[in-house]
Amino acid sequence: MPKQATPLPHTVLGGDTPCCPPLAQQRLPADVATALAPAFKALGDPVRLQLMSMIASAENGEACVCDLTPAFDLSGPTISHHLRTLREAGLVDAERRGTWVYYRARKAVLSQLAALLANTGQSPQ
Amino acid sequence: MPKQATPLPHTVLGGDTPCCPPLAQQRLPADVATALAPAFKALGDPVRLQLMSMIASAENGEACVCDLTPAFDLSGPTISHHLRTLREAGLVDAERRGTWVYYRARKAVLSQLAALLANTGQSPQ
DNA sequence: AGGCTGATTCGAAAAGTGTCAAACTAGACG
DNA sequence: CGTCTAGTTTGACACTTTTCGAATCAGCCT
């Protein structure tokens, strides 16, 4: 049961194209929904949502695990596991440089998710 | 049958205010992350994501359960359960009119979630 | 080499989730 | 009233997820 196999083949998310029309504009096909859901699922945990925010808002566009871990009341392995989840969801990239590992957000992916939820009608109520 | 027990007190999501600066702009506080995560979590299932899309893109802004259920290869109770999850996440509202129950999207909430993920930098890569 | 520190992987326990069938509730209608 | 249809709730089961400690891997440094 290899944890491999990116659930987000770049044929759906991560490219330069908008990936798909907004949720509210037309019905999302089943296969697209299946491809997109893991990204939302990854954001659906408070710890991972914070991690995502810390990474996306980091100084040089990247955050060191050594800075992320102590920000939570959780063990190293647990943080590492959450980071892996974000990675496998295609939301972040990891790079090792010497002793430390740095994570950076895949901003294009986040933008596409945003676009999916937007245009939902900004009329009041 | 009140749609109570909202884990998203309107102090965070659902109001007219943007709820919070974009994820990538500044670090999301723990309590805000805890309040927002359930909404993403609800969207993190392929069936619920499709339901959300069907509801948000429906003709008159609302969708009848009687139209949603047969669109899936799942039992009525299962669809009902997913709809409840969306409801409790604050993403949809339900209204019974006679025999049928209609769901409609809380567009303001979707917009806020979109705003949270947006402004993440539209520069390529 | 050997040891130190940062990070991931492994294995396991507790809690949570998705699904169904069966039982139930809400209206409509004869 | 009795019964039919639409939806929800309940109870159960398999599966997944969150979390940890222990073990491991990857680079430094002396």
Side-chain angles (χ1 to χ4, degrees), chain A residues 18 40 69 80:
Chain A
F40 287 115
T69 303
S80 191

Side-chain angles (χ1 to χ4, degrees), chain A residues 60-76:
Chain A
N60 306 348
E62 63 181 12
C64 177
V65 174
C66 61
D67 290 328
L68 297 173
T69 303
F72 298 86
D73 224 12
L74 294 170
S75 71

